[in-house]
Amino acid sequence: MYFFLTIILHVLLVMPVLLVCFLRASPIICLLLSNHEKPQRSMLRHLTTKIKATGPIPVAEYMREVLTNPVTGYYVRNNMLGPDGDFITSPEISQIFGELLGVWIVSEWMGAGRPTQLQLVELGPGKGSLASDVLRVFSQLRSVLGGASVSLHLVEVSPALSRLQAQSLTGSRSQEAHAEDEPAYRRGETTGGLPVSWYRRLEDVPTGFSIFLAHEFFDALPIHKFQRTQKGWREVMVDIDPEKPNQLRFVVAPSPTLASSALVQADEGRGHVEVCAEGGVIIQQLARRILEDGGAALIADYGHDGTKTDTFRGFKDHRLHDVLSSPGSADLTADVDFSYLRRMAGGGVACLGPVPQRTFLKNMGIDSRMQVLLRNCSDASTRQQLIASYDVLTNPAKMGERFHFFGLLHPRRLARPPRPEGLKLEKKPSPAPLPVAGFTELSFS
Ligand code: SAH
């Protein structure tokens, strides 16, 4: 039995049975553009003007414009998450998801030797539900976290979503920062009294021991697409359909581009590949920070280990949507290639996984937490919702095997701790490193 996990599990099991809300209803916040043109139409016009001026654009540029253009980008304008939006994510399905990730964070903070500072950094926090569930666990585990100074740092490109996050995490206790040279664009205090700041880019987050969370973040980053042809690898580009001037189409670049020369591996065996160079840069930044300042990263997303080919797709109203039609009206996404992330993380940092979500959550004790919640819940419809949300999160045919967890850790975390001085002469090996929760099967008997 592992000492620190025992404490945490104990707290989790006896934690007040607080049912936050099982299918978080989506307060639709309609943020209208100041002009009266339909946003998708102005996005299409913006893209066709660009293509007319420069020629066909890489898929990565198309995806970046459609999702994060500062005026008409899909994420910048919308609140797309939840039953009334375009897609729903695990933290929105059940509070248990965020609670178990909260337990993971505390156990990794303990495994790192309980540093006095703990920065929780979330990339792409959506509606702020995951951060809010994690902070609830922190407040339950106040006695374990002791005197550590805890702060929350949110990397969010969307002003609309950052306001929603601020509302949910601080009530009205946050303010926009106006100074140009301020790395954070908003600062505040959570309802539990912790400092919280918002940034546009990871590099703006202060250095220091940090645990990074990225849930359904990497899949939203722009991908390049490459096609194997008889003449070699060629980049897939987005062009205007010559027969229908208001419609876009894919074309293959006639000659190599900088990206097709630099981003396809020499020994690539597939006929078509997607490479998320921006995700690679972010992983390198995370790896460097973890090596220099200590900490860990937990990345959860749908993805594969370097085996899939064409995964680029759109989502609108919880249905698949053609990626090139009405750009800006639907989410665009591509499966995360974990083998690429591992390669980009480099040899210094330790990589764990990917493991299926079902395995990770079961290793984290989701069954025990469910039993406690069910035992304490007498309302039939809430019980039914609890069971249904558990099924969505863990069923292999639903999110259980489609989503994976991938971790980055400081290599020290997996090394055997040195033997105490006095024992050097004994033949006993030094104790094994503490297991990493979620990635290791633990028995709680
Ligand atoms: N993690 C949340 C939301 C996922 S949606 C959840 O699982 O519910 C993707 C999130 O990433 C949104 O908050 C979106 O605004 C943000 N995002 C997308 N691209 C980004 C970028 N380049 N930089 C920072 N945030 C980004």
Side-chain angles (χ1 to χ4, degrees):
M1 187 63 124
Y2 308 109
F3 174 66
F4 63 100
L5 274 171
T6 318
I7 301 178
I8 290 166
L9 188 75
H10 174 75
V11 179
L12 196 65
L13 294 184
V14 299
M15 195 159 104
V17 188
L18 183 65
L19 293 178
V20 175
C21 161
F22 275 88
L23 198 60
R24 289 177 156 115
S26 161
I28 288 274
I29 293 191
C30 198
L31 294 134
L32 293 171
L33 285 174
S34 51
N35 67 27
H36 296 296
E37 192 174 16
K38 271 196 141 191
Q40 325 48 310
R41 221 174 295 148
S42 70
M43 172 60 78
L44 182 63
R45 220 157 45 87
H46 168 68
L47 290 165
T48 51
T49 310
K50 199 175 177 121
I51 294 170
K52 277 179 197 153
T54 65
I57 55 171
V59 171
E61 192 175 336
Y62 173 77
M63 200 172 166
R64 186 178 304 110
E65 283 294 333
V66 170
L67 293 183
T68 57
N69 176 289
V71 184
T72 47
Y74 172 79
Y75 282 118
V76 172
R77 282 185 305 104
N78 285 296
N79 168 25
M80 69 298 293
L81 283 150
D84 302 320
D86 291 322
F87 60 99
I88 187 146
T89 60
S90 295
E92 301 300 324
I93 286 169
S94 170
Q95 68 182 73
I96 301 182
F97 186 85
E99 289 173 352
L100 295 176
L101 266 55
V103 172
W104 190 89
I105 293 165
V106 178
S107 80
E108 278 316 299
W109 169 80
M110 293 170 87
R114 303 171 184 246
T116 52
Q117 182 201 27
L118 168 56
Q119 294 194 149
L120 170 60
V121 184
E122 188 180 355
L123 308 178
K127 285 162 76 172
S129 309
L130 177 56
S132 153
D133 292 336
V134 168
L135 293 185
R136 199 173 51 259
V137 170
F138 282 9
S139 98
Q140 293 299 322
L141 293 174
R142 208 173 296 131
S143 61
V144 179
L145 283 166
S149 101
V150 180
S151 53
L152 178 62
H153 304 264
L154 303 173
V155 179
E156 175 56 76
V157 78
S158 161
L161 286 177
S162 70
R163 285 193 291 273
L164 205 56
Q165 293 150 16
Q167 178 63 37
S168 130
L169 293 162
T170 73
S172 55
R173 294 201 291 179
S174 82
Q175 276 183 335
E176 272 181 44
H178 289 293
E180 282 289 305
D181 53 351
E182 265 258 14
Y185 64 85
R186 178 180 282 277
R187 287 190 191 277
E189 191 178 87
T190 66
T191 44
L194 299 179
V196 50
S197 312
W198 280 260
Y199 314 82
R200 285 187 189 86
R201 305 166 316 160
L202 174 60
E203 49 266 48
D204 295 333
V205 176
T207 54
F209 181 93
S210 305
I211 307 266
F212 300 92
L213 283 184
H215 184 265
E216 287 216 40
F217 170 75
F218 280 89
D219 72 273
L221 299 178
I223 49 144
H224 287 270
K225 281 172 92 63
F226 304 106
Q227 180 67 41
R228 188 195 290 278
T229 71
Q230 286 183 335
K231 288 184 267 168
W233 285 101
R234 293 290 183 266
E235 183 160 10
V236 179
M237 316 286 278
V238 175
D239 196 4
I240 302 168
D241 189 330
E243 319 228 304
K244 299 176 201 132
N246 276 329
Q247 216 161 298
L248 299 170
R249 61 166 190 170
F250 287 119
V251 291
V252 174
S255 48
T257 58
L258 196 59
S260 67
S261 312
L263 295 176
V264 184
Q265 290 285 101
D267 59 352
E268 180 56 63
R270 288 169 285 178
H272 184 101
V273 284
E274 295 171 339
V275 182
C276 180
E278 209 167 295
V281 170
I282 292 179
I283 278 288
Q284 285 175 335
Q285 291 175 347
L286 292 176
R288 200 183 56 242
R289 279 173 176 258
I290 290 169
L291 285 173
E292 287 173 4
D293 308 319
L298 189 60
I299 293 158
D301 228 307
Y302 36 68
H304 57 92
D305 224 356
T307 51
K308 288 199 183 171
T309 54
D310 183 9
T311 70
F312 187 36
R313 58 202 183 279
F315 277 104
K316 189 176 179 174
D317 296 332
H318 301 264
R319 289 206 198 94
L320 279 171
H321 178 87
D322 177 357
V323 286
L324 295 183
S325 89
S326 338
S329 72
D331 185 32
L332 297 182
T333 172
D335 277 14
V336 173
D337 180 348
F338 290 106
S339 70
Y340 175 71
L341 296 190
R342 198 183 300 113
R343 196 162 65 240
M344 295 309 283
V349 80
C351 296
L352 294 182
V355 299
Q357 171 158 309
R358 171 188 173 79
T359 310
F360 185 90
L361 296 180
K362 283 194 173 264
N363 286 347
M364 289 301 306
I366 191 170
D367 292 338
S368 314
R369 179 71 177 143
M370 263 298 283
Q371 276 164 21
V372 174
L373 290 175
L374 285 174
R375 208 181 304 134
N376 288 282
C377 171
S378 51
D379 175 60
S381 96
T382 313
R383 283 176 70 86
Q384 230 171 10
Q385 275 192 344
L386 258 174
I387 293 165
S389 59
Y390 169 87
D391 182 57
V392 175
L393 293 183
T394 59
N395 187 327
K398 296 179 180 167
M399 287 173 154
E401 284 190 359
R402 229 177 282 160
F403 282 76
H404 289 82
F405 278 76
F406 180 72
L408 299 183
L409 298 177
H410 195 287
R412 207 171 35 228
R413 174 65 181 81
L414 300 180
R416 284 183 179 273
R419 267 184 296 154
E421 279 297 309
L423 299 176
K424 285 253 160 76
L425 292 176
E426 288 178 32
K427 283 267 184 275
K428 271 198 198 160
S430 52
L434 295 170
V436 180
F439 294 93
T440 318
E441 196 181 335
L442 301 170
S443 76
F444 298 109
S445 54

